[in-house]
Amino acid sequence: MAGSEKEPTNNITSEDTSLMSEEPQELIKDIEEPLDEERILKPEETQVSTQVSSDPEYAAESERISSPEETGQTINNNVNGNKDTPKEIDIIDQQNEIVSEDVDSESSEQHFTSPPPDVDTESDEHTENIQDNESEEQIKVEDQLDQVKPENQGPPPTPITDQPQSSPEKIPESERDTRSLDTGQQTKDDLGLVGPKTNRQERLASAPPRLCTDEMCQVDTILQDLWQCAVAVGTDIPLTECQTDTSVVDTAICDTVFEEHSYIKQNSLNLIWSFGINKDSPVYALHIDNRRLILYASSHTAVMNNFSITRQHLLQGHSSLISCIAVCGNRRWVATADQSPESLVIVWDTFSGIPVQTLFDCHHEGGVGALAMSHDAKYLATIGTGTIQRVCIWDWSSENKGSLCSVDLSPAFDPQTFIAFNPEDNTELVSNNKTEVVFYSWKANQLEFASPILTDETFNKVVGIYCQSVFHLIPSQVLTGTSAGNLVIWDTVGTTHSQFDAMKLYKKKPLKLVNLQNDGITVVEVMDRYIVTGDVKGCIRFYDEEICLLNWYSNLHLGPIHSISFSSQPASKANEKSSYPSESTIKAQQFVVRNFVVSTVDATVAHVTGDGCKLEMLMQEHSAALHAIACHPSLPLICMGSYCGLLKVWDYENKEPVCSRLFGTGNFIQCVTYNKAGSLLGVGLTDGCVYILDALSLNNERSEPFQYAKDAITDIAFSHDSRYLATVDSKTTVTVFHFHNNSWMYLGRQNAHFKPIKTLMFGIYLDDNQPRLLSLGEDRVLVEYDLKNSTEVDLRILSSERIEQSATPMCMAWYPPITKESFIITANDQYKLKLYNATTNMCRKTVLGPIYESPLKKIKILPFSSTNEPKVGYLAYITDNKVGLQTLPLDGNPHKSCALICHGSVVTNIACSYDGGYIFTAGGDDCTVHMWKVDLGAHEAVIALGGEDLIPFYGLLEGGRDGELFKEMENYFYYSQLRYQHISTRETRKVSTHVPLQEIPFIMRALGFYPTEKEVEDMLNEVKFSKYVETGKYVTHIDLGDFIKLYINHRPAFGISASDLEKTFDILGYQNEKEEKAIALEELLQLLQTRGECMSEEEVAETLSTLLGLNPEGGSSEFDVKDASKLLEQQLPQEMTNEVFVYEVLGFPRNIPVSPCDEVMTMTAAPST
């Protein structure tokens, strides 16, 4: 071990000694009392001159080379690294004292001013100046506080090299600014960090500057603030004038983020808790005192989880999956980044939980793949994931929008997955992937890099795959761990330390390949005087700077280590009462180490206490895709199941796990459900197995699971009386089990769909309270099964009806009892919500659904919390990546719906709590579940702001109420009355505010919306039966307001696009000689007359003639079919291509933009002919 450095000596006068001995409490007391000029502490009275005594011991450092053989010999020393017997501290091992140095000694070492040439003379002059002009004295004091630099700096540790190293020279003054921690100036920079940037003065030779304790809450920082206030009081400046307008970030302390007011949200849906963790992102310890506070990523949200008080603070700002997290040395500032075309890098203040800076579009192609923050939090480094990787350095605290410097890596480089700053020099960085290590150096806004080559032939050893790289405790050296258990030592090309500053430090070469162990290394960290490694077997080892093993933790029973993060709080001193383990050295001193947090690749997070070697499991989450979630029908419990085979039940109010069960490797849980009583839990696996479990113990209700399917169980449901259990497998087959003679038995299977089933649900017959089972598939067919008459091995179908014409159903649910009629609500891929009569399956209402980039995937009716008869209901839904809330009854008002991004990639499932107060969403591959609190008050307030009656619908019309479309609607509405009363009539006309229902199709077509006959029937039935339940009469007329709602709700959400027609030709057409998709004219005419809603020959001829302009007047009164047929043969080619049909016959505009929303052609006005 390296020798210890002599204690520095300080030349301090008696006056200075009296000042340094003054306790903080006395200074505070002085400030509270009226101060006079004599009691004000002047800069001259705080001047201390410090000198470092030279030690001949470091004139020439001895050579020290740790070979693999030596390291292996140390490893084989099987010393128990978890002994609790306290050992006596050896006084020559002073490194342990450095990390636990008292705050009082720190404050006595650091002073903020340097002595002027003549102290006594200047002191008298300044006393007179204070009496004459106290304001000028305040300015002088502040100027002198910014001009101090320490002069003491300890020698570096002994490097591991093949050549003897000479002692390093003193760093030139001109280059001190490039080293972030080499200056001792006490300043408050743009980040709000107050504290010295110097290395600790009493540092040992083997202890680098990163040993210094955190500057977050030091006493000398408080003294500086008190000093400024004292000067203000002494100069008769009111304290209120000294206090400037401060933000929450300036006034926040470590507990501010977890205060109650920080959880106040005003959205309809508020994210309040996140279950799960992004296992590919590191976990960081944000410990302050003894709090168990950690930071990790959960889908697109960063989570600050305080396990001491069971509370989370969620850092929300990303819309995509968080790919990287970085922290500074004192953990006050953290940065998060995501991977998306519109990637963001957000810097957060962990004290207040507020984002203080956002970098937009850092890397346009693919987002951020690696992120690092400098030790002093001043700079950020990012690496893009584009085809050509770009490395950028950002000064995020400045007002400059661009990066300070950047460089593009070679296209031959594989994606870099890790990057880190040198804690001692912000101008040095290192990054690596599995096969390459890249070193960087930047200065004067120029970033240079080099990637040395290391192969198995370099040292005649297997190198392995790189995991992480860190800067060594020894200057200029970098360490990289590999999957072969090796540690690669890189060093700058050169021979002497004196040349380091003049050389390009990024030009390094592999110096040694040290084999530490047989198991692959996954993590390499440097903390205090230790080099720390984690491996694939969950073992954590500690080495000194000479790569000698000091201690290890092998009995943690963890999986492969993914990250290790040490507390920012220094370890306490070793004494007789401490229980640190012993080092695996001859002296067997106590192994003093900070508390740290370990995360594994299987989503486990553990906290290890250094004093006593206590292991506490903080999180044991799902490590594979999580799709299965279900809420208990009467208790605040939620069950989650994932592809790792873990089934876990949480108490979501107390945020505590209730029970769990591991089904074993290969048992992937796909879906779960509770029965209505909450006593049973049905579980479906991807291998076709169906388990019926006790809901509390998770034990099997049946000795063996059902397995009548070979494919995954995609949906599962209990009947209301718990007598039936139905599942969907193979995506198209329904299997039913029934409870008979106190046991569950197989009833039958039925393949009633030819496309995947989207929803399977049980209902109740209104007349006899018997269960009914329905399924809805992508084949647009609604199937009802005859449970009553089904026998064993014979599941019968009661009815099968096609409910959609062109749209694909996505999901369905039972409409809540807010009307006198029973409905089934469905959502399709054309952004429509439809209500079907539960008895007749007649479509009774169609409304425009929520439009958020993708159609609704699943819907759930929010349970009612009150027992009164409800008049308003709420529908929870999910799209591809959003969760939303829709107010019922449906009317098409867009303000009655809201949605938020709920997961970074996709959301796969949704569940609602039994009281309707919470909504849960599962993120699938991101292995997380998010808990959303429903705020109906905020939701109703948003609806009220949208306006009443027709005001929300006017906004959906092009141009609004003052636009051309609305004026044309009024004109056509009254023209239809003339048409209904006949154009040539001579009777007195009656002008009304209503038109007959028969005129609805003609007005729709005049406005450019051409509904099919089925759509016309649905529109007429919707209006006709709208009041039948209340009045028993049909509606025969419609007014303008209802017609506007009908038009908006039934017209296509995005019109008809040219791409839709191109897909039709791809399916029906053939490829001609010009490699174009085409259909023979004869075949096209035959398809129009025989498929779909068949058109007659006259209708086909009339329509095509009108489209080609051969029938200018339109209509059929003067139309001759025979003449039209001859004209069509002349005008239309015998081979109809897609381009001719779309652009020449139908008249779509050419050169359509690429955007799907822009390429849509919506006919909203009447044709010009």
Side-chain angles (χ1 to χ4, degrees), residues 603-877:
T604 299
V605 180
H607 176 264
V608 180
T609 304
D611 190 357
C613 297
K614 300 177 183 177
L615 176 68
E616 179 184 4
M617 289 295 179
L618 299 181
M619 302 175 66
Q620 289 179 297
E621 298 297 338
H622 302 269
S623 59
L626 196 162
H627 302 285
I629 57 173
C631 288
H632 195 280
S634 58
L635 296 174
L637 302 177
I638 181 172
C639 181
M640 310 175 190
S642 65
Y643 281 4
C644 67
L646 176 63
L647 186 69
K648 196 171 186 179
V649 180
W650 282 84
D651 181 346
Y652 55 78
E653 285 190 350
N654 297 320
K655 313 301 185 298
E656 295 177 352
V658 177
C659 56
S660 63
R661 174 178 174 177
L662 188 62
F663 282 84
T665 306
N667 293 316
F668 301 156
I669 301 175
Q670 180 67 42
C671 53
V672 296
T673 186
Y674 282 97
N675 67 337
K676 187 175 182 180
S679 59
L680 298 177
L681 188 66
V683 181
L685 306 184
T686 56
D687 60 357
C689 288
V690 177
Y691 286 84
I692 302 177
L693 310 177
D694 178 79
L696 295 179
S697 62
L698 301 185
N699 295 327
N700 291 350
E701 287 288 313
R702 192 174 183 271
S703 58
E704 295 294 332
F706 291 110
Q707 189 164 12
Y708 289 89
K710 296 181 180 179
D711 294 328
I713 306 298
T714 57
D715 204 353
I716 188 170
F718 279 102
S719 63
H720 73 288
D721 55 3
S722 301
R723 291 195 297 118
Y724 293 95
L725 174 66
T727 63
V728 176
D729 62 83
S730 304
K731 296 184 179 180
T732 60
T733 305
V734 174
T735 306
V736 178
F737 308 94
H738 70 119
F739 190 73
H740 184 66
N741 295 331
N742 294 326
S743 64
W744 285 95
M745 302 178 62
Y746 168 73
L747 180 60
R749 290 165 58 84
Q750 184 61 254
N751 192 350
H753 298 270
F754 64 89
K755 285 189 176 181
I757 297 174
K758 304 301 293 185
T759 304
L760 178 72
M761 67 179 186
F762 278 96
I764 304 174
Y765 286 109
L766 300 179
D767 51 355
D768 57 2
N769 201 33
Q770 292 297 314
R772 58 186 299 195
L773 178 63
L774 300 95
S775 63
L776 179 63
E778 290 183 3
D779 54 6
R780 306 179 180 92
V781 176
L782 178 64
V783 178
E784 183 172 0
Y785 302 88
D786 189 357
L787 298 177
K788 184 177 181 181
N789 298 317
S790 297
T791 59
E792 189 173 354
V793 197
D794 183 19
L795 179 61
R796 299 181 180 180
I797 295 177
L798 183 63
S799 64
S800 179
E801 183 175 351
R802 179 165 178 159
I803 63 172
E804 289 282 3
Q805 190 174 29
S806 60
T808 301
M810 303 299 293
C811 51
M812 70 173 177
W814 292 104
Y815 200 66
I818 59 177
T819 61
K820 296 181 179 179
E821 198 171 357
S822 179
F823 291 114
I824 297 173
I825 180 174
T826 67
N828 61 34
D829 64 343
Q830 295 181 358
Y831 299 92
K832 302 295 184 182
L833 294 174
K834 293 188 175 183
L835 296 183
Y836 293 89
N837 184 280
T839 303
T840 63
N841 292 341
M842 176 189 292
C843 181
R844 292 291 305 279
K845 195 176 186 64
T846 301
V847 300
L848 181 65
I851 301 178
Y852 296 105
E853 297 181 1
S854 65
L856 306 190
K857 293 171 55 178
K858 289 189 177 182
I859 56 176
K860 295 287 184 181
I861 300 299
L862 211 62
F864 297 104
S865 57
S866 61
T867 58
N868 299 329
E869 183 177 352
K871 295 183 180 180
V872 178
Y874 297 94
L875 174 75
Y877 61 85

Side-chain angles (χ1 to χ4, degrees), residues 4-38:
S4 60
E5 184 183 356
K6 290 185 178 181
E7 294 289 339
T9 59
N10 297 337
N11 297 331
I12 305 173
T13 62
S14 58
E15 182 178 274
D16 295 330
T17 304
S18 63
L19 172 62
M20 294 177 59
S21 63
E22 182 176 353
E23 296 294 331
Q25 293 80 1
E26 297 178 2
L27 183 57
I28 296 174
K29 181 178 179 181
D30 293 342
I31 293 175
E32 294 176 349
E33 298 175 359
L35 300 179
D36 53 11
E37 291 82 351
E38 288 76 15

Side-chain angles (χ1 to χ4, degrees), residues 277 279 281-283 559-564 597-601 604-606:
I277 183 175
K279 59 187 181 67
S281 297
V283 178
I561 304 299
H562 179 65
S563 68
I564 302 174
V597 171
V598 183
S599 69
T600 65
V601 297
T604 299
V605 180

